[in-house]
Amino acid sequence: YVRNGMCKHERRRRDRLAAEFKDGIQAVVSALTAGYSIENSFREALAEIGLLYGTKTEIYKEFSQIVYQLNLNVNVEEAFERFALKCNVEEINNFSEILQYAKRSGGNLIQIIKNTTDTISEKIDVKREISTIISAKQLEQTIMNFVPIGIILYMRLTSPEMFEKMYGNMFGIIFMSICLVLYLVAGIIAQKLVDI
């Protein structure tokens, strides 16, 4: 259970970072379109991220680290690759790879980054929509998990003689044990179905 909770927490952190990254990289594209170099675009984006999310957020700290490395004359693709490796977020890793390719190939850097940003933004938006839809189903599943327990407690309080008949013989014990196992298996399957 603790491991599952940690996985959910890590997944939430990655989703939040991906959403913030989307806004940060769109700020980079805006600066590139305005005529800034790729290095100065990250500096401009840092200021915008600070206004959007504040200076204590993870995305601001990571972009600050990129800008710091750029100030030390580390090339942008290397600085961004370090950021991608540290964050371990799929969208950031993808952007890092494309940024490296774009810098090596010498193509239209602004257009390549803009197209990549649009694709990543759409993907993040779709994931967010799916997550919203799934969260409603997760709530339904949680309620359905507790309904049988509520019914059993109610029946035990109002009709204790019924439980004596169910558990008072070997057949009843075996039958109810099988039902309990099926209930637990159904709960596990339901959890896996609604788990993104």
Side-chain angles (χ1 to χ4, degrees), residues 139-174:
L139 179 62
E140 287 175 22
Q141 184 254 322
T142 303
I143 292 168
M144 290 305 292
N145 281 347
F146 289 106
V147 165
I149 296 168
I151 291 170
I152 288 170
L153 289 174
Y154 175 75
M155 295 297 288
R156 195 169 187 96
L157 289 171
T158 58
S159 304
E161 65 279 352
M162 184 178 164
F163 277 90
E164 287 173 18
K165 290 177 185 174
M166 290 169 88
Y167 292 106
N169 56 56
M170 188 55 71
F171 175 76
I173 292 169
I174 292 169

Side-chain angles (χ1 to χ4, degrees), residues 54-163:
T55 57
K56 301 208 184 300
T57 55
E58 186 177 2
I59 193 69
Y60 183 86
K61 290 173 184 173
E62 295 300 340
F63 266 62
S64 296
Q65 192 61 36
I66 291 171
V67 169
Y68 175 74
Q69 290 176 58
L70 293 175
N71 291 339
L72 295 175
N73 292 325
V74 174
N75 52 24
V76 68
E77 61 270 24
E78 189 179 329
F80 203 87
E81 184 182 19
R82 290 176 188 167
F83 164 51
L85 289 171
K86 183 178 176 187
C87 293
N88 195 23
V89 174
E90 182 186 357
E91 291 80 8
I92 297 173
N93 288 332
N94 292 343
F95 186 85
S96 174
E97 289 172 13
I98 290 167
L99 181 62
Q100 288 177 36
Y101 172 77
K103 288 287 278 184
R104 277 197 308 263
S105 67
N108 186 347
L109 185 66
I110 296 171
Q111 195 59 43
I112 291 170
I113 291 175
K114 188 175 184 315
N115 291 342
T116 305
T117 302
D118 290 344
T119 304
I120 288 172
S121 296
E122 286 172 17
K123 183 178 178 183
I124 291 169
D125 289 340
V126 167
K127 278 174 106 174
R128 191 180 289 170
E129 284 177 29
I130 290 170
S131 181
T132 303
I133 293 165
I134 293 288
S135 64
K137 298 299 177 192
Q138 286 172 331
L139 179 62
E140 287 175 22
Q141 184 254 322
T142 303
I143 292 168
M144 290 305 292
N145 281 347
F146 289 106
V147 165
I149 296 168
I151 291 170
I152 288 170
L153 289 174
Y154 175 75
M155 295 297 288
R156 195 169 187 96
L157 289 171
T158 58
S159 304
E161 65 279 352
M162 184 178 164
F163 277 90

